[in-house]
Amino acid sequence: MGDNSRTKLSKSVLDMKFMKKTKDRVEKEADDAEGNAMYSSEITEDMKKSGTIFVNTSIMNCRNLIEGRLSFGGMNPDIEKIMSDTYVKQLEDAEKQNEKDVSDQEMAEGYSTLNKTMAKKFQTKKARSKKFMKPKPMD
Amino acid sequence: MVVNVGDVVLPGECLPEPRSNKGVVILGPGLRRSEDDSKGLTVSRAGVLCHKAPNMYWVEGHAKRYVPCKGDLVVGVVAKKSGDQFKIDIGSAEHASLSAFSFEGATKKQKPDLQVGDVVYAKLVTAHREMEPELVCVNKYFKAANLGPLSNQGFLLNLDSRLIVRLLDVQHPLLAVLAKTCAYEIAIGMNGKVFVMGRTSKDTMHVAEALLAAQHHDNVTT
């Protein structure tokens, strides 16, 4: 197959019924080559190497903002129907978060201090005790 | 000059190595990729640099001029009508274009009835530095949902961009408190334009006044 890709097959050969797979492949290769030639001037070596992709987004996604089309007190029933799926749920989630006595963050911190205390227990005495530094004599 | 998260930043400063997740970095407003360092970011707006784990960066600050951003929901005023295209004033440097076909159920024969001066709530689909911004009034399923033309009995006002961000925080109490005193509907655009409509014009003005007064309160929501 390796040699095959180098040799160019004539159009009439590719049009034969059993050559369908090869024909597709040859067409794809030609397409890729064309695309590469078209954009090669725009793509620098640096871009290929770094591979970091930057995606732009709205501040709504950054701050978890709600959609700004709202209706209250039955003013616009259509909007309130849509709101019941999104806004009301977000509101309930936020309330649930506020109700917690101990936030997730505090919980994690509490556990990590416990971890340290337990870790100390299994340390050797030598590692635990810091070397006592003799204070400098005062003049 | 190199900056860190939480710093006050100025346009032109760089963030050399943003944290990426699987090679992807998400940029909010106020940042763009730097031109000489393919891995770095350049700040394009003055403000405070914010970061959300794992890979989101943006700049928050006071801005009088709206800079369009892809995905923003905005309120705009029809400024010009030409054939199948509307030019919409969204407060940016250039008018945004809105096709008459990007409404739910619109066809060549059945176009939306929009006049110059009407207000629409729309989504920005393209926002580039070099190109005119483009709006649509349908979601990804080609349904109108909460987008589309707004009633012409309401009131349109311009608010500070920082207040907009605060209002759209689900925990901000102002909208819920106003809902207790009167029935109203509102369309808050990220561009600072806000459309309010109450049952009576007294209600409308009541809500509008409250929003204008809220601009002068500080950022603390509690």
Side-chain angles (χ1 to χ4, degrees):
Chain A
M1 280 309 264
D3 288 328
N4 266 4
S5 61
R6 295 272 162 245
T7 50
K8 258 194 172 171
L9 293 162
S10 76
K11 207 182 162 198
S12 52
V13 172
L14 283 174
D15 275 340
M16 284 179 200
K17 219 173 190 179
F18 62 92
M19 292 298 268
K20 198 167 183 315
K21 257 190 186 170
T22 318
K23 193 188 176 189
D24 286 349
R25 202 196 68 219
V26 169
E27 273 175 359
K28 194 174 172 281
E29 271 169 14
D31 258 15
D32 286 350
E34 200 178 311
N36 276 342
M38 199 180 274
Y39 294 111
S40 60
S41 59
E42 316 249 322
I43 301 166
T44 60
E45 281 304 311
D46 235 19
M47 279 158 104
K48 278 183 195 164
K49 244 186 265 167
S50 85
T52 319
I53 302 163
F54 294 97
V55 183
N56 282 312
T57 187
S58 155
I59 195 163
M60 293 170 83
N61 299 327
C62 301
R63 294 276 305 258
N64 285 335
L65 300 181
I66 52 169
E67 292 191 349
R69 186 86 174 93
L70 303 168
S71 161
F72 299 98
M75 188 67 199
N76 191 335
D78 297 341
I79 298 295
E80 284 187 21
K81 207 170 148 197
I82 298 165
M83 267 168 70
S84 65
D85 291 340
T86 54
Y87 177 73
V88 176
K89 255 181 211 148
Q90 274 168 314
L91 199 64
E92 277 167 4
D93 281 353
E95 270 167 15
K96 228 178 257 172
Q97 205 71 35
N98 284 347
E99 270 171 22
K100 278 185 189 166
D101 294 335
V102 183
S103 75
D104 296 342
Q105 185 85 30
E106 279 166 24
M107 189 77 183
E109 271 164 22
Y111 264 119
S112 71
T113 54
L114 181 71
N115 266 349
K116 271 180 209 154
T117 336
M118 288 311 286
K120 237 181 222 170
K121 265 209 162 130
F122 292 103
Q123 267 176 349
T124 56
K125 219 164 198 181
K126 217 174 181 182
R128 208 184 311 168
S129 60
K130 277 185 191 150
K131 230 178 197 175
F132 180 70
M133 301 287 278
K134 198 179 172 186
K136 273 183 192 168
M138 301 252 273
D139 305 314
Chain B
M1 218 178 125
V2 175
V3 292
N4 295 309
V5 171
D7 285 356
V8 172
V9 292
L10 291 171
E13 292 183 322
C14 348
L15 181 70
E17 283 197 350
R19 227 174 279 160
S20 63
N21 183 22
K22 290 174 190 158
V24 177
V25 180
I26 301 173
L27 305 182
L31 287 169
R32 67 170 68 123
R33 66 186 301 173
S34 101
E35 264 150 33
D36 19 74
D37 171 19
S38 68
K39 281 183 194 166
L41 301 174
T42 308
V43 178
S44 61
R45 196 185 288 184
V48 179
L49 183 66
C50 302
H51 169 63
K52 190 165 96 177
N55 60 349
M56 219 179 237
Y57 289 90
W58 72 97
V59 176
E60 251 173 46
H62 176 65
K64 288 240 166 171
R65 169 73 70 178
Y66 172 65
V67 179
C69 183
K70 191 182 167 187
D72 273 357
L73 294 161
V74 296
V75 174
V77 184
V78 178
K80 210 170 132 192
K81 204 168 121 179
S82 52
D84 296 336
Q85 290 280 327
F86 296 107
K87 289 278 177 272
I88 311 284
D89 177 16
I90 56 168
S92 58
E94 201 178 354
H95 285 170
S97 75
L98 170 65
S99 166
F101 302 121
S102 56
F103 288 82
E104 188 184 337
T107 57
K108 207 140 193 172
K109 280 185 183 165
Q110 224 180 356
K111 284 179 207 163
D113 181 33
L114 272 183
Q115 302 303 322
V116 171
D118 281 0
V119 182
V120 288
Y121 187 62
K123 188 174 197 161
L124 273 160
V125 275
T126 53
H128 269 283
R129 267 192 292 168
E130 297 88 355
M131 277 159 59
E132 129 182 287
E134 195 182 331
L135 299 167
V136 287
C137 280
V138 283
N139 63 9
K140 57 189 167 187
Y141 307 113
F142 297 100
K143 292 281 176 231
N146 48 16
L147 303 167
L150 300 169
S151 158
N152 51 12
Q153 275 153 19
F155 190 73
L156 188 71
L157 61 159
N158 280 305
L159 295 180
D160 183 30
S161 62
R162 281 175 303 179
L163 177 65
I164 300 290
V165 172
R166 270 191 286 149
L167 283 178
L168 292 179
D169 185 347
V170 81
Q171 294 189 53
H172 195 270
L174 180 61
L175 296 177
V177 169
L178 284 171
K180 280 177 193 158
T181 57
C182 56
Y184 68 97
E185 66 171 299
I186 191 166
I188 304 170
M190 291 304 302
N191 56 346
K193 289 190 196 299
V194 173
F195 164 88
V196 191
M197 188 171 86
R199 269 204 211 291
T200 60
S201 38
K202 199 179 159 193
D203 279 355
T204 307
M205 291 323 291
H206 175 78
V207 176
E209 285 295 323
L211 290 173
L212 286 169
Q215 283 189 113
H216 304 298
H217 282 257
D218 57 357
N219 270 311
V220 184
T221 53
T222 46

